[in-house]
Amino acid sequence: MHDPENDENVFGCWSDDFLSPKEKTLREETPQEREERAQMLKTEIFGRTLRSPLILASGILGTTKSLLKRVGEMGAGAVTIKSISISPRSGHPNPVVLAFGPGMINAVGYSNPGLENACAEYADLSDVPCPVIGSLIGTQPEEFAVVASAFDKLDFAALEIPVSCPHTPGFGKMARQDTPEMVLTILKWVRANTTKPVFIKVPAAAQNLSELVAAAREGGACGITAVNTIGPGMLINIDARKPYLGFGIGGVSGPALKPLAVAATYAIAASCDIPIIGTGGVMTGEDALELIMAGAVGVGVGTAVIERGIEAFELIAREMADWMRARGVKNLDEIRGAAHAK
Amino acid sequence: MRNDLPKMCRIVERQEQGNSCVALTLDYCCDFTPGQFLMIWLPGVDEKPFSISKHIRETVVTYDGTMEQGICEITVKRLGPVSERIANLRVGDSVGVRGPHGRGYSWDSDGCFVAGGVGLAAMAPLIAIMSRAPILYGENTAEQLMFLYRFPKMRIFTVDGSRGEKGFPTDALPALLAEGKIKKVYTCGPEIMMTKVVKICHEAGVASEVSLERYMKCAVGVCGQCCMDGLRVCADGPVFDGEQLFNAKDFGFRKLDKSGTWVMRR
């Protein structure tokens, strides 16, 4: 490879790593193991059978159909698109996403191509090898309804309504959409325009969590996604004397968020039997099992993609299966909500 | 998880390169492979990706041990308001730096370079260590040419013929490949030029590596903003195998803008 006769290593920057880029190679599974894993991780949610409880969280990678397809091929049980509003939004100025050690902080500001472009992008979802969840946003309940009625004609398996974004003016927390009254109103408008199952994405560490869940059930939501990023949060660069994020404040996710996601999932599962997609800080199979033991049916994966790449879905699924195999657990129903046992 | 927050770094040297580009040397020591990029942050304004155009890292022996020191150089073309502001920074000013990110070029001693405009900067660290590889470098006019002293043996093309040969660097590529000595073509520049390079290499049966540019946000492969055919330019790239792109539908055809809307090639 490196020929010292012809070229000098001027910078000394060639490492072994450079000559053979380290590919994350996965151990080959035997067909029996694969079959066994499929049986173990099979999950029923929103009327569909997923091959794994792992669901790509909204706002992560869900910008185009080609990426959803790739995540699906990587073994995700379902994928969620990046939230869509009626008109295009360019979002907040950069930096919008930063990994800071104990987690990730983001203030993307709901950048999205708008409803018309999104309908063109997701018109044919047949080549995405898993169910796709449509995420929709609006500043007014009427706007949610417009997006929902357009999404109703598309091939989405379910819809998700985040009422909890902590960093975008006009939406979510900053527009007080995370009140039981607003959840009821939004659900009324959305449910009048679609027959698809609807999930409500609730904020982290909500004081009124039980009221929100009660409102979601009353409004006819199929399930709850718990939780969104927690915020507002801020980090300041002391040399620049300015906040890192372009918008200043943002939502915190990753390992820092996991205890809140587990607690919210546990609290909702304790109060009622509504299906929950537990989301927040899932980096490993153990994290995912923790949420399932708290009572989650599906498990959202987002920030893990920074650390482990798109392979995260395959890696987490294998770690779950390994743990279950070692302890003789046959399927996820056996351990779902196990932490609640008296 | 990793800590990827921008670190404030001083600009220690500034060189005008041609009439539209500026090479800024940053007091930033890092591991690096040619083709990788840094995110440059103007606090309170914006953050943009720039390829590293020169990199030095050395171990210095001091009386009580060793220490690492080094610099990175980025080359900024004045394209919009943000790059204009970065290009106008002076020696002593600070910018936020995080990275390097992405996957760089892989190495082949029998390579050649096809550069268009500021794309030369992304390949400059590789050119510097492959001193005998031919370089085909195209610009619009003679005034825009850069790195003329750093790489004196470049074969220069200008669109208006004001210096070097009149035309595009891709004009000379088929003949160069026909000689049979080149095993790999490295390219960076306008996407229309790179599509041509990939096509020529495909027909000649020669490997190629292409460095792409897209609107970038997170730079760690999580936001999906730089997606192209299911590939994330920031994490899976920015350098891709030419054969992989040859069949890619979006290559040379469309890109996502800041909002995530497809923008078609004009």
Side-chain angles (χ1 to χ4, degrees):
Chain A
M1 287 286 282
H2 185 206
D3 181 5
E5 289 286 278
N6 284 324
D7 296 288
E8 280 175 53
N9 185 350
V10 182
F11 295 162
C13 60
W14 304 114
S15 60
D16 294 345
D17 210 36
F18 178 81
L19 292 171
S20 55
K22 257 183 221 151
E23 287 289 322
K24 279 166 214 154
T25 42
L26 291 166
R27 183 176 57 87
E28 271 300 314
E29 267 186 327
T30 62
Q32 289 124 297
E33 276 182 318
R34 197 170 304 130
E35 175 61 26
E36 195 191 13
R37 175 155 72 99
Q39 283 304 318
M40 278 183 189
L41 300 183
K42 210 168 62 181
T43 298
E44 305 256 344
I45 191 166
F46 47 76
R48 300 285 280 266
T49 305
L50 315 184
R51 61 192 155 171
S52 136
L54 304 176
I55 298 173
L56 176 73
S58 182
I60 307 286
L61 297 175
T63 48
T64 59
K65 191 176 75 171
S66 56
L67 265 177
L68 295 180
K69 178 166 174 265
R70 188 168 161 206
V71 175
E73 283 162 358
M74 222 3 114
V79 289
T80 315
I81 65 165
K82 188 155 172 53
S83 306
I84 298 295
S85 59
I86 295 181
S87 38
R89 290 176 53 84
S90 46
H92 296 317
N94 272 359
V96 294
V97 181
L98 290 168
F100 65 92
M104 176 181 110
I105 188 162
N106 90 85
V108 175
Y110 279 141
S111 61
N112 77 85
L115 185 57
E116 204 186 320
N117 290 322
C119 286
E121 178 73 25
Y122 302 120
D124 173 24
L125 290 171
S126 55
D127 49 351
V128 181
C130 63
V132 181
I133 302 170
S135 180
L136 53 123
I137 50 169
T139 52
Q140 304 297 327
E142 295 85 338
E143 292 184 23
F144 284 94
V146 173
V147 184
S149 70
F151 276 10
D152 191 55
K153 296 177 194 79
L154 301 180
D155 214 7
F156 293 126
L159 302 182
E160 184 177 272
I161 303 173
V163 293
S164 43
C165 170
H167 55 71
T168 309
F171 298 89
K173 255 184 174 175
M174 289 183 89
R176 300 198 179 282
Q177 288 174 348
D178 59 337
T179 61
E181 300 75 41
M182 270 306 278
V183 167
L184 256 182
T185 322
I186 292 169
L187 270 173
K188 199 182 84 189
W189 280 88
V190 168
R191 298 262 298 148
N193 287 283
T194 182
T195 51
K196 293 190 190 294
V198 178
F199 278 72
I200 297 285
K201 190 166 185 174
V202 296
Q207 295 296 317
N208 55 354
L209 184 63
S210 55
E211 288 93 340
L212 279 178
V213 174
R217 294 184 78 193
E218 192 189 329
C222 155
I224 302 284
T225 306
V227 292
N228 206 320
T229 57
I230 185 156
M234 182 188 276
L235 290 170
I236 292 171
N237 185 310
I238 55 173
D239 287 325
R241 307 181 181 196
K242 284 218 166 61
Y244 282 107
L245 290 173
F247 187 61
I249 57 168
V252 178
S253 63
L257 178 66
K258 194 184 83 176
L260 305 178
V262 176
T265 304
Y266 187 94
I268 299 166
S271 68
C272 58
D273 57 359
I274 191 163
I276 305 161
I277 301 175
T279 306
V282 174
M283 312 294 279
T284 63
E286 287 77 12
D287 295 335
L289 290 164
E290 208 173 326
L291 278 163
I292 284 174
M293 288 193 192
V297 179
V299 175
V301 175
T303 307
V305 173
I306 292 188
E307 239 3 58
R308 314 186 79 184
I310 296 184
E311 298 81 1
F313 292 89
E314 181 72 13
L315 294 169
I316 295 172
R318 287 202 182 188
E319 285 159 5
M320 291 173 80
D322 285 346
W323 186 93
M324 290 166 72
R325 219 173 268 137
R327 282 148 186 87
V329 178
K330 291 279 173 299
N331 57 52
L332 290 172
D333 290 326
E334 252 179 66
I335 51 167
R336 183 163 296 116
H340 292 271
K342 290 267 152 48
Chain B
M1 274 189 66
R2 73 174 98 169
N3 185 333
D4 189 38
L5 294 173
K7 211 174 99 189
M8 294 307 285
C9 293
R10 222 166 270 284
I11 293 166
V12 292
E13 200 186 328
R14 180 180 187 279
Q15 271 182 342
E16 290 278 347
Q17 293 287 354
N19 65 358
S20 59
C21 295
V22 174
L24 300 172
T25 306
L26 305 164
D27 180 20
Y28 186 71
C29 179
C30 59
D31 267 334
F32 161 76
T33 53
Q36 286 189 308
F37 64 93
L38 295 174
M39 292 300 282
I40 302 297
W41 174 49
L42 283 180
V45 183
D46 210 336
E47 192 190 38
K48 298 271 178 202
F50 293 95
S51 286
I52 296 174
S53 55
K54 185 176 174 183
H55 173 266
I56 297 175
R57 184 181 182 176
E58 54 194 11
T59 308
V60 183
V61 181
T62 60
Y63 59 89
D64 60 349
T66 58
M67 63 178 231
E68 296 284 314
Q69 69 174 35
I71 54 104
C72 283
E73 181 200 73
I74 56 163
T75 302
V76 182
K77 183 168 180 156
R78 296 183 175 91
L79 275 177
V82 180
S83 52
E84 180 78 45
R85 283 183 71 160
I86 296 175
N88 290 343
L89 291 171
R90 288 168 303 179
V91 171
D93 291 346
S94 289
V95 287
V97 183
R98 67 184 169 107
H101 290 295
R103 282 176 54 166
Y105 290 102
S106 64
W107 193 78
D108 194 316
S109 57
D110 299 315
C112 90
F113 295 93
V114 181
V118 74
L120 181 66
M123 299 193 295
L126 194 57
I127 296 174
I129 42 178
M130 292 174 60
S131 44
R132 297 197 188 163
I135 308 160
L136 310 175
Y137 170 43
E139 264 291 7
N140 288 319
T141 64
E143 292 83 57
Q144 289 174 312
L145 292 167
M146 56 192 221
F147 295 155
L148 290 175
Y149 295 102
R150 196 179 293 185
F151 308 123
K153 283 193 274 183
M154 290 190 294
R155 190 167 160 194
I156 290 165
F157 296 80
T158 48
V159 178
D160 63 355
S162 49
R163 177 153 179 182
E165 295 160 61
K166 188 175 161 74
F168 300 96
T170 42
D171 300 344
L173 187 60
L176 185 65
L177 295 183
E179 288 173 21
K181 284 181 201 151
I182 305 296
K183 299 272 159 45
K184 187 174 258 180
V185 177
Y186 299 97
T187 182
C188 184
E191 203 151 313
I192 182 156
M193 181 198 88
M194 296 194 289
T195 51
K196 264 191 200 164
V197 172
V198 168
K199 194 157 167 276
I200 292 168
C201 291
H202 180 79
E203 282 161 5
V206 175
S208 57
E209 287 199 9
V210 180
S211 178
L212 293 184
E213 183 181 55
R214 285 292 184 273
Y215 193 97
M216 252 176 224
K217 286 188 174 176
C218 73
V220 287
V222 76
C223 75
Q225 199 64 39
C226 58
C227 167
M228 197 210 72
D229 265 292
L231 301 167
R232 301 159 300 165
V233 172
C234 69
D236 302 315
V239 177
F240 292 99
D241 183 50
E243 279 307 294
Q244 192 182 5
L245 294 183
F246 186 74
N247 297 314
K249 289 197 291 293
D250 296 343
F251 177 51
F253 174 58
R254 58 180 189 172
K255 15 177 109 173
L256 289 175
D257 72 357
K258 195 180 180 187
S259 70
T261 310
W262 287 112
V263 180
M264 304 295 167
R265 193 177 83 187
R266 278 160 287 141

